[in-house]
């Protein structure tokens, strides 16, 4: 396992990588929202994106489909945003998650045949 100094370095690297990932998710969601005409503040995206990602992990949908959309509609309805745009934004986000997972899934499938 890790000793004191090595553990601290791994922890700091992990924190930085998670911060970079979360910032990339916020920027992606902000770009997707703007692309569909959803006027939502970056601050709202900053707290909503991680929450909606967690909601999608609930084991009541297939790959988070439907769960994230319902959570987004409920969460953002108080911001006076059009429901159809929230739904389109959430579905686009789901599509990017699935598309970005596709290379790893294909790699895994290729390695299962060996």
């Amino acid at each position: 396992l890790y000793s004191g100094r090595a553990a601290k370095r791994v922890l700091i690297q992990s924190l930085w990588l998670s911060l970079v990932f979360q910032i990339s998710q916020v920027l992606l969601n902000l770009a997707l929202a703007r692309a569909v005409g959803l006027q939502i503040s970056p601050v709202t995206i900053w707290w909503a994106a991680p929450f909606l990602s967690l909601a999608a992990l609930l084991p009541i949908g297939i790959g988070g489909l439907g769960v994230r959309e319902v959570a987004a509609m409920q969460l953002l309805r108080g911001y006076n945003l059009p429901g159809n745009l929230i739904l389109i934004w959430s579905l686009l986000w789901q599509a990017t998650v699935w598309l970005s997972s596709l290379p790893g899934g294909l790699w895994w499938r290729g390695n299962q045949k060996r």
Side-chain angles (χ1 to χ4, degrees), residues 25-48:
Q25 289 298 295
V26 169
L27 294 175
L28 168 69
N29 278 291
L30 194 57
L32 290 174
R34 296 291 189 254
V36 299
L38 189 61
Q39 296 302 317
I40 190 168
S41 77
V43 173
T44 303
I45 294 283
W46 182 258
W47 67 264

Side-chain angles (χ1 to χ4, degrees), residues 97-113:
V97 169
W98 285 351
L99 287 173
S100 66
S101 301
L102 189 59
L106 293 174
W107 175 84
W108 177 81
R109 174 129 173 130
N111 285 331
Q112 294 299 309
K113 293 181 181 179

Side-chain angles (χ1 to χ4, degrees), residues 17-29:
L17 285 173
S18 66
L19 182 64
V20 167
F21 176 76
Q22 289 301 326
I23 290 171
S24 73
Q25 289 298 295
V26 169
L27 294 175
L28 168 69
N29 278 291

Side-chain angles (χ1 to χ4, degrees), residues 1 17 32 76 81 94:
L1 285 146
L17 285 173
L32 290 174
L76 300 174
L81 298 169
Q94 184 68 45

Side-chain angles (χ1 to χ4, degrees), residues 5 16 20 33 40 69 73 80 90 98 101 109-110:
R5 184 171 263 172
W16 276 110
V20 167
I40 190 168
E69 287 73 31
M73 296 284 283
N80 200 25
S90 188
W98 285 351
S101 301
R109 174 129 173 130

